[in-house]
Amino acid sequence: MIDLKLVQKDPQILADALKNRHSSINIEEFRELDQKRRSILAEVEALKSERNQASAKIAAMKKEGRQEEAQGLFADLGGLSDRIHDLDIKATEARTAVENWLVAVPNIPDASVPVGQDESKNVEIDRWGAIPEFSFEPRDHADLGAALGGLDFERAARLAGSRFVVEFAWAARLDRALASFFLDRHRKEGYVEVSPPYMVNRKTMTGTGQLPKFEDDLFRIDSWDYFLIPTAEVPLTNLHSGDALPEEALPLGYCAATPCFRSEAGAAGKDTRGLIRMHQFTKVEMVRFAHPDDSFNQLELMTGHARGILEELELPYRVISLCTGDLGFSAVKTYDVEVWIPSQKTYREISSCSNCGDFQARRANIKYKPKGGKAAFLHTLNGSGLPTGRTMAAIIENGQQADGSIVLPKAIRPYMGGLEVIEPARAKK
């Protein structure tokens, strides 16, 4: 959430940020709401001061034996208290209106973020790995996976509907192997592995910025008003909701492998085939808590952790700095890491690493406390490290052979019992 004092003191900063984000939110609405709140508070304070003076006067009259005069003034005091009570209710409503406005406002992009309307203005900052060359027309992972008996989208559709998959044999094992590989690597990088709940309450979703703006993209359990998590970022970040971490504990990193659930309400018609955009998928998430002076260093570090996995898996990728118009709601800066998908002849996002500044920390009330100093909001970061489904798609497509077999990257083979190649004769094992 944006700092209320910042908007009050220099609203032009937010107005410029909203313009660069191409947001329809109007800063004038805030001015009107906040002015109304201030006016009511000023009136309440004036009436309370009048009531205090009247109370003191009544006490003095009683002490002097002027009971009748005191009684008349006391009757007037009752009416004054009723007016104060009514204004207190209006003040609460006005404050709630300001808070509701603030909670719907996206974060302010960092000055280093490219300014642009949409993804066409994102800036490529690096590439790694050679794009594979094939002596045949590469097939997509959905066809290859189905031919090898590992991916079954038709059975999943009968069980649940579109955008689901049933994984068999080698595919189920590879999915599990990738999650283990990612977690082992992150543990060596200093992350604490966590197994969090897969459903959370409304307050938790609000803390990381999924609510109220993105409720249509979430799966909700109506009878409990719980939500299935769209990413482990939600429970991991909220682990320290209401806490003040000692400064020396920073930076602090967590990682978790969880199922993720997304309605994809805003992606109708996109990537309806294969593993790229699913209602349910497994992802390993990285979350970091950082000192405000160190958060951008931590963003580079976290992005490096996602990149390192792809390099170990020998998958070519590029890194994109998202522009203001493509930036996520909670982020001040984001790097997307995109892996090469041969059948599409393009790079597709496989990791998104973001610095959220103190935006989520304000919403979830997460602070750090220097020795002898006053507690202040810390900075939160999150990144995919990585989704197993999209990684599997990249492994299948980049490792495909002319005979329809798949050569596995060396790094994952120990997690697959030494298996080097997935081929039709062994696909059911």
Side-chain angles (χ1 to χ4, degrees), residues 129-138 316 340 342 345 397-402:
I131 293 174
E133 297 182 3
F134 300 96
S135 59
F136 55 92
E137 185 65 25
W340 179 255
K345 296 181 174 58
E397 293 204 15
N398 284 277
Q400 65 181 292
Q401 306 298 301

PDB file of all heavy atoms in Angstrom, residues 129-138 316 340 342 345 397-402:
ATOM      1  N   GLY A 129      22.872 -18.821 -23.472  1.00  0.00           N
ATOM      2  CA  GLY A 129      22.660 -20.106 -24.123  1.00  0.00           C
ATOM      3  C   GLY A 129      22.372 -19.994 -25.609  1.00  0.00           C
ATOM      4  O   GLY A 129      21.821 -19.011 -26.087  1.00  0.00           O
ATOM      5  N   ALA A 130      22.761 -21.055 -26.313  1.00  0.00           N
ATOM      6  CA  ALA A 130      22.537 -21.113 -27.758  1.00  0.00           C
ATOM      7  C   ALA A 130      21.179 -21.746 -28.048  1.00  0.00           C
ATOM      8  O   ALA A 130      20.829 -22.782 -27.476  1.00  0.00           O
ATOM      9  CB  ALA A 130      23.647 -21.921 -28.427  1.00  0.00           C
ATOM     10  N   ILE A 131      20.432 -21.121 -28.937  1.00  0.00           N
ATOM     11  CA  ILE A 131      19.150 -21.681 -29.350  1.00  0.00           C
ATOM     12  C   ILE A 131      19.405 -22.961 -30.134  1.00  0.00           C
ATOM     13  O   ILE A 131      20.217 -22.972 -31.070  1.00  0.00           O
ATOM     14  CB  ILE A 131      18.372 -20.661 -30.199  1.00  0.00           C
ATOM     15  CG1 ILE A 131      17.966 -19.470 -29.330  1.00  0.00           C
ATOM     16  CG2 ILE A 131      17.147 -21.298 -30.840  1.00  0.00           C
ATOM     17  CD1 ILE A 131      17.315 -18.339 -30.093  1.00  0.00           C
ATOM     18  N   PRO A 132      18.760 -24.075 -29.774  1.00  0.00           N
ATOM     19  CA  PRO A 132      19.030 -25.348 -30.457  1.00  0.00           C
ATOM     20  C   PRO A 132      18.594 -25.323 -31.919  1.00  0.00           C
ATOM     21  O   PRO A 132      17.598 -24.672 -32.268  1.00  0.00           O
ATOM     22  CB  PRO A 132      18.208 -26.361 -29.651  1.00  0.00           C
ATOM     23  CG  PRO A 132      17.114 -25.563 -29.027  1.00  0.00           C
ATOM     24  CD  PRO A 132      17.716 -24.229 -28.733  1.00  0.00           C
ATOM     25  N   GLU A 133      19.362 -26.004 -32.747  1.00  0.00           N
ATOM     26  CA  GLU A 133      19.024 -26.138 -34.159  1.00  0.00           C
ATOM     27  C   GLU A 133      18.598 -27.582 -34.412  1.00  0.00           C
ATOM     28  O   GLU A 133      19.264 -28.522 -33.967  1.00  0.00           O
ATOM     29  CB  GLU A 133      20.213 -25.757 -35.043  1.00  0.00           C
ATOM     30  CG  GLU A 133      20.626 -24.291 -34.893  1.00  0.00           C
ATOM     31  CD  GLU A 133      21.770 -23.930 -35.817  1.00  0.00           C
ATOM     32  OE1 GLU A 133      22.191 -24.819 -36.614  1.00  0.00           O
ATOM     33  OE2 GLU A 133      22.250 -22.793 -35.755  1.00  0.00           O
ATOM     34  N   PHE A 134      17.504 -27.752 -35.135  1.00  0.00           N
ATOM     35  CA  PHE A 134      16.972 -29.085 -35.404  1.00  0.00           C
ATOM     36  C   PHE A 134      17.021 -29.366 -36.909  1.00  0.00           C
ATOM     37  O   PHE A 134      16.839 -28.453 -37.724  1.00  0.00           O
ATOM     38  CB  PHE A 134      15.521 -29.196 -34.914  1.00  0.00           C
ATOM     39  CG  PHE A 134      15.351 -28.968 -33.433  1.00  0.00           C
ATOM     40  CD1 PHE A 134      14.983 -27.720 -32.934  1.00  0.00           C
ATOM     41  CD2 PHE A 134      15.559 -30.003 -32.528  1.00  0.00           C
ATOM     42  CE1 PHE A 134      14.815 -27.508 -31.578  1.00  0.00           C
ATOM     43  CE2 PHE A 134      15.399 -29.789 -31.161  1.00  0.00           C
ATOM     44  CZ  PHE A 134      15.033 -28.549 -30.690  1.00  0.00           C
ATOM     45  N   SER A 135      17.236 -30.632 -37.250  1.00  0.00           N
ATOM     46  CA  SER A 135      17.219 -31.045 -38.661  1.00  0.00           C
ATOM     47  C   SER A 135      15.799 -31.412 -39.082  1.00  0.00           C
ATOM     48  O   SER A 135      15.579 -31.927 -40.172  1.00  0.00           O
ATOM     49  CB  SER A 135      18.153 -32.239 -38.866  1.00  0.00           C
ATOM     50  OG  SER A 135      17.743 -33.329 -38.036  1.00  0.00           O
ATOM     51  N   PHE A 136      14.843 -31.147 -38.202  1.00  0.00           N
ATOM     52  CA  PHE A 136      13.441 -31.463 -38.438  1.00  0.00           C
ATOM     53  C   PHE A 136      12.598 -30.334 -37.844  1.00  0.00           C
ATOM     54  O   PHE A 136      13.116 -29.502 -37.084  1.00  0.00           O
ATOM     55  CB  PHE A 136      13.071 -32.802 -37.788  1.00  0.00           C
ATOM     56  CG  PHE A 136      13.380 -32.862 -36.311  1.00  0.00           C
ATOM     57  CD1 PHE A 136      12.435 -32.507 -35.355  1.00  0.00           C
ATOM     58  CD2 PHE A 136      14.653 -33.237 -35.861  1.00  0.00           C
ATOM     59  CE1 PHE A 136      12.730 -32.544 -34.000  1.00  0.00           C
ATOM     60  CE2 PHE A 136      14.960 -33.267 -34.503  1.00  0.00           C
ATOM     61  CZ  PHE A 136      13.984 -32.922 -33.565  1.00  0.00           C
ATOM     62  N   GLU A 137      11.306 -30.308 -38.163  1.00  0.00           N
ATOM     63  CA  GLU A 137      10.430 -29.293 -37.598  1.00  0.00           C
ATOM     64  C   GLU A 137      10.099 -29.681 -36.159  1.00  0.00           C
ATOM     65  O   GLU A 137       9.483 -30.726 -35.909  1.00  0.00           O
ATOM     66  CB  GLU A 137       9.134 -29.198 -38.412  1.00  0.00           C
ATOM     67  CG  GLU A 137       8.205 -28.075 -37.971  1.00  0.00           C
ATOM     68  CD  GLU A 137       8.796 -26.686 -38.186  1.00  0.00           C
ATOM     69  OE1 GLU A 137       9.669 -26.533 -39.076  1.00  0.00           O
ATOM     70  OE2 GLU A 137       8.404 -25.751 -37.450  1.00  0.00           O
ATOM     71  N   PRO A 138      10.515 -28.871 -35.169  1.00  0.00           N
ATOM     72  CA  PRO A 138      10.276 -29.250 -33.775  1.00  0.00           C
ATOM     73  C   PRO A 138       8.787 -29.307 -33.443  1.00  0.00           C
ATOM     74  O   PRO A 138       8.006 -28.467 -33.892  1.00  0.00           O
ATOM     75  CB  PRO A 138      10.983 -28.150 -32.982  1.00  0.00           C
ATOM     76  CG  PRO A 138      11.096 -26.994 -33.917  1.00  0.00           C
ATOM     77  CD  PRO A 138      11.223 -27.588 -35.284  1.00  0.00           C
ATOM     78  N   PRO A 316      18.257 -22.303 -22.866  1.00  0.00           N
ATOM     79  CA  PRO A 316      18.529 -20.914 -23.259  1.00  0.00           C
ATOM     80  C   PRO A 316      17.430 -19.968 -22.781  1.00  0.00           C
ATOM     81  O   PRO A 316      16.246 -20.313 -22.790  1.00  0.00           O
ATOM     82  CB  PRO A 316      18.583 -20.978 -24.786  1.00  0.00           C
ATOM     83  CG  PRO A 316      17.884 -22.239 -25.165  1.00  0.00           C
ATOM     84  CD  PRO A 316      18.037 -23.185 -24.024  1.00  0.00           C
ATOM     85  N   TRP A 340      13.510 -20.320 -23.881  1.00  0.00           N
ATOM     86  CA  TRP A 340      13.244 -20.554 -25.305  1.00  0.00           C
ATOM     87  C   TRP A 340      12.316 -21.760 -25.479  1.00  0.00           C
ATOM     88  O   TRP A 340      12.544 -22.825 -24.922  1.00  0.00           O
ATOM     89  CB  TRP A 340      14.541 -20.791 -26.058  1.00  0.00           C
ATOM     90  CG  TRP A 340      14.346 -21.056 -27.530  1.00  0.00           C
ATOM     91  CD1 TRP A 340      14.446 -22.255 -28.181  1.00  0.00           C
ATOM     92  CD2 TRP A 340      14.022 -20.091 -28.534  1.00  0.00           C
ATOM     93  NE1 TRP A 340      14.205 -22.109 -29.518  1.00  0.00           N
ATOM     94  CE2 TRP A 340      13.932 -20.777 -29.772  1.00  0.00           C
ATOM     95  CE3 TRP A 340      13.795 -18.716 -28.505  1.00  0.00           C
ATOM     96  CZ2 TRP A 340      13.633 -20.142 -30.968  1.00  0.00           C
ATOM     97  CZ3 TRP A 340      13.494 -18.083 -29.710  1.00  0.00           C
ATOM     98  CH2 TRP A 340      13.406 -18.783 -30.915  1.00  0.00           C
ATOM     99  N   PRO A 342      11.037 -23.939 -28.538  1.00  0.00           N
ATOM    100  CA  PRO A 342      11.290 -24.151 -29.975  1.00  0.00           C
ATOM    101  C   PRO A 342      10.045 -24.190 -30.850  1.00  0.00           C
ATOM    102  O   PRO A 342      10.044 -23.627 -31.949  1.00  0.00           O
ATOM    103  CB  PRO A 342      12.022 -25.499 -29.993  1.00  0.00           C
ATOM    104  CG  PRO A 342      12.716 -25.557 -28.683  1.00  0.00           C
ATOM    105  CD  PRO A 342      11.754 -24.932 -27.707  1.00  0.00           C
ATOM    106  N   LYS A 345       9.017 -20.822 -31.436  1.00  0.00           N
ATOM    107  CA  LYS A 345      10.101 -19.992 -31.977  1.00  0.00           C
ATOM    108  C   LYS A 345      10.196 -18.640 -31.262  1.00  0.00           C
ATOM    109  O   LYS A 345      10.391 -17.584 -31.872  1.00  0.00           O
ATOM    110  CB  LYS A 345       9.937 -19.785 -33.483  1.00  0.00           C
ATOM    111  CG  LYS A 345      10.037 -21.066 -34.301  1.00  0.00           C
ATOM    112  CD  LYS A 345       9.899 -20.789 -35.786  1.00  0.00           C
ATOM    113  CE  LYS A 345      10.152 -22.046 -36.608  1.00  0.00           C
ATOM    114  NZ  LYS A 345       9.259 -23.179 -36.272  1.00  0.00           N
ATOM    115  N   GLU A 397      10.794 -29.746 -25.153  1.00  0.00           N
ATOM    116  CA  GLU A 397      10.957 -29.180 -26.493  1.00  0.00           C
ATOM    117  C   GLU A 397      12.418 -28.969 -26.883  1.00  0.00           C
ATOM    118  O   GLU A 397      12.798 -29.223 -28.018  1.00  0.00           O
ATOM    119  CB  GLU A 397      10.166 -27.879 -26.602  1.00  0.00           C
ATOM    120  CG  GLU A 397       8.656 -28.089 -26.525  1.00  0.00           C
ATOM    121  CD  GLU A 397       7.874 -26.980 -27.193  1.00  0.00           C
ATOM    122  OE1 GLU A 397       8.471 -26.198 -27.965  1.00  0.00           O
ATOM    123  OE2 GLU A 397       6.660 -26.896 -26.939  1.00  0.00           O
ATOM    124  N   ASN A 398      13.225 -28.506 -25.951  1.00  0.00           N
ATOM    125  CA  ASN A 398      14.633 -28.267 -26.283  1.00  0.00           C
ATOM    126  C   ASN A 398      15.426 -29.556 -26.374  1.00  0.00           C
ATOM    127  O   ASN A 398      16.460 -29.610 -27.047  1.00  0.00           O
ATOM    128  CB  ASN A 398      15.263 -27.328 -25.258  1.00  0.00           C
ATOM    129  CG  ASN A 398      14.854 -25.876 -25.461  1.00  0.00           C
ATOM    130  OD1 ASN A 398      15.422 -25.159 -26.270  1.00  0.00           O
ATOM    131  ND2 ASN A 398      13.836 -25.440 -24.715  1.00  0.00           N
ATOM    132  N   GLY A 399      14.940 -30.598 -25.675  1.00  0.00           N
ATOM    133  CA  GLY A 399      15.670 -31.871 -25.690  1.00  0.00           C
ATOM    134  C   GLY A 399      15.132 -32.891 -26.666  1.00  0.00           C
ATOM    135  O   GLY A 399      15.590 -34.046 -26.692  1.00  0.00           O
ATOM    136  N   GLN A 400      14.155 -32.522 -27.502  1.00  0.00           N
ATOM    137  CA  GLN A 400      13.537 -33.495 -28.409  1.00  0.00           C
ATOM    138  C   GLN A 400      14.480 -33.942 -29.515  1.00  0.00           C
ATOM    139  O   GLN A 400      15.333 -33.198 -29.980  1.00  0.00           O
ATOM    140  CB  GLN A 400      12.264 -32.918 -29.011  1.00  0.00           C
ATOM    141  CG  GLN A 400      12.453 -31.707 -29.912  1.00  0.00           C
ATOM    142  CD  GLN A 400      11.127 -31.183 -30.450  1.00  0.00           C
ATOM    143  OE1 GLN A 400      10.460 -31.838 -31.252  1.00  0.00           O
ATOM    144  NE2 GLN A 400      10.741 -29.981 -29.992  1.00  0.00           N
ATOM    145  N   GLN A 401      14.293 -35.185 -29.913  1.00  0.00           N
ATOM    146  CA  GLN A 401      15.084 -35.791 -30.977  1.00  0.00           C
ATOM    147  C   GLN A 401      14.160 -36.150 -32.147  1.00  0.00           C
ATOM    148  O   GLN A 401      12.933 -36.171 -32.018  1.00  0.00           O
ATOM    149  CB  GLN A 401      15.789 -37.052 -30.465  1.00  0.00           C
ATOM    150  CG  GLN A 401      16.631 -36.833 -29.217  1.00  0.00           C
ATOM    151  CD  GLN A 401      17.769 -35.848 -29.428  1.00  0.00           C
ATOM    152  OE1 GLN A 401      18.623 -36.060 -30.291  1.00  0.00           O
ATOM    153  NE2 GLN A 401      17.789 -34.774 -28.641  1.00  0.00           N
ATOM    154  N   ALA A 402      14.762 -36.456 -33.283  1.00  0.00           N
ATOM    155  CA  ALA A 402      13.986 -36.747 -34.491  1.00  0.00           C
ATOM    156  C   ALA A 402      13.060 -37.939 -34.317  1.00  0.00           C
ATOM    157  O   ALA A 402      11.979 -38.002 -34.925  1.00  0.00           O
ATOM    158  CB  ALA A 402      14.930 -36.975 -35.680  1.00  0.00           C
TER     159      ALA A 402
END
